[in-house]
Amino acid sequence: MNPGDSSVPGFDALTSGIVVVACSYSIAPDLMKDKLRAMAGRCGVTFSGVVVSNRQGSDGHSDSNWDVLAGSNRTHDFSAYVEGLAHLERIRNGDGLPRVIVFVNDSLFENHQPTENFRALLRQLPLLGQIETPTIAGKVDRYATICHVNPWSNLGLYVSTYCFALNFAALPILQDIDRLAEADGLGDQLLMTSSQWGHALSPQFREFILAFLVYGPPAFRWPGLGHYEIGDRLLSVKARCIYFEHRLSGEIGRLGCILPTNLRKVDCLRLDLAERLAKLARSIGMESV
């Protein structure tokens, strides 16, 4: 099957060569390229772009389709997304960025069913590329406790950022996310123990972050609390990541549009089944592709 001739409905020339910014940490950058290349083949498209490696000493090799960039890991996947986007701007030599860019991190491959998630996103790309206002596409999750609406968009949902896409008009919002965090009291050097932390957040959203990282019940709290050596610095960085995910959807939802990949009931059922099967496969040591 030639690139672009996918069985996914709605494909056109927009999706024949997709630009991707990928964050790798637990997956080595060269293996990340291989996984993306294999997934592109399964979806009948081609990918190119930049892999930002956030793990120190994890070297990779650039090739004709992929640049491999050493990331700062300053704010985990979000700093990788911003640094990868800046790299794309530099190497395009004034030609401008594409109308659509896809962003992924390695949890797409480690914690999800990658191909079904990507196929669901690919269905939205032709529409995403036509919308002139800032727009994000991806799997939406709904607020279920403590904070029931996004404080910036006033919508009851946000897009998960392990696999999402932005149109050209939304890219400046991602590029401005650090400044927004500073203004809201989540600066890069400000710890959660500071009385100034999160001073401009809504009370509900501030408690939402604290419950997820500090005092919430086990079913609600961040799973990483059981996997990493936790200190104030790591918790503060993770708090910024949570803020970035919700602020990105909130700012875009306030100014433009959100395209859910799991809006229809059949889409939800398909993705939910795929995710359950992927979790089962991982539990018995199999890789989900």
Side-chain angles (χ1 to χ4, degrees), residues 36-90:
L36 287 165
R37 191 177 295 113
M39 187 169 64
R42 290 191 293 272
C43 294
V45 295
T46 60
F47 296 153
S48 64
V50 56
V51 175
V52 182
S53 176
N54 270 349
R55 183 182 286 274
Q56 188 175 4
S58 183
D59 297 328
H61 302 88
S62 298
D63 56 42
S64 58
N65 288 323
W66 295 99
D67 283 355
V68 176
L69 179 69
S72 68
N73 201 32
R74 188 167 57 92
T75 319
H76 299 174
D77 46 346
F78 268 93
S79 58
Y81 294 156
V82 172
E83 290 162 11
L85 182 58
H87 180 74
L88 286 178
E89 282 192 305
R90 288 193 298 270

Side-chain angles (χ1 to χ4, degrees), residues 15-240:
T15 55
S16 63
I18 299 167
V19 176
V20 178
V21 174
C23 169
S24 71
Y25 182 83
S26 56
I27 298 176
D30 283 346
L31 180 57
M32 187 72 160
K33 291 190 301 178
D34 291 341
K35 287 178 176 291
L36 287 165
R37 191 177 295 113
M39 187 169 64
R42 290 191 293 272
C43 294
V45 295
T46 60
F47 296 153
S48 64
V50 56
V51 175
V52 182
S53 176
N54 270 349
R55 183 182 286 274
Q56 188 175 4
S58 183
D59 297 328
H61 302 88
S62 298
D63 56 42
S64 58
N65 288 323
W66 295 99
D67 283 355
V68 176
L69 179 69
S72 68
N73 201 32
R74 188 167 57 92
T75 319
H76 299 174
D77 46 346
F78 268 93
S79 58
Y81 294 156
V82 172
E83 290 162 11
L85 182 58
H87 180 74
L88 286 178
E89 282 192 305
R90 288 193 298 270
I91 65 175
R92 292 178 77 90
N93 296 321
D95 290 339
L97 293 169
R99 289 192 61 83
V100 169
I101 297 180
V102 170
F103 298 83
V104 302
N105 63 35
D106 44 19
S107 66
L108 171 65
F109 296 99
E110 298 206 314
N111 300 324
H112 298 278
Q113 210 298 326
T115 301
E116 284 304 317
N117 274 275
F118 232 117
R119 281 185 177 138
L121 182 64
L122 293 176
R123 294 186 187 98
Q124 299 296 328
L125 296 193
L127 176 59
L128 179 63
Q130 298 301 313
I131 298 175
E132 297 295 332
T133 57
T135 303
I136 183 171
K139 178 182 176 290
V140 298
D141 289 316
R142 298 186 180 276
Y143 295 95
T145 188
I146 303 177
C147 177
H148 292 273
V149 297
N150 186 288
W152 298 279
S153 69
N154 206 34
L155 298 173
L157 52 81
Y158 63 96
V159 173
S160 294
T161 51
Y162 64 87
C163 177
F164 69 102
L166 299 177
N167 70 351
F168 184 81
L171 296 177
I173 297 173
L174 176 60
Q175 292 168 319
D176 197 38
I177 203 81
D178 265 312
R179 185 193 64 80
L180 296 174
E182 290 278 352
D184 281 338
L186 285 91
D188 190 29
Q189 299 302 314
L190 194 63
L191 297 179
M192 292 179 70
T193 51
S194 168
S195 61
Q196 290 300 303
W197 180 85
H199 64 82
L201 297 178
S202 71
Q204 298 87 353
F205 188 67
R206 190 176 188 275
E207 294 301 322
F208 178 86
I209 296 178
L210 289 170
F212 189 66
L213 294 177
V214 181
Y215 64 73
F220 181 75
R221 293 173 71 188
W222 176 39
L225 292 171
H227 300 148
Y228 303 108
E229 184 176 338
I230 302 300
D232 290 340
R233 168 54 58 187
L234 178 58
L235 285 178
S236 301
V237 170
K238 184 60 181 178
R240 275 169 56 87

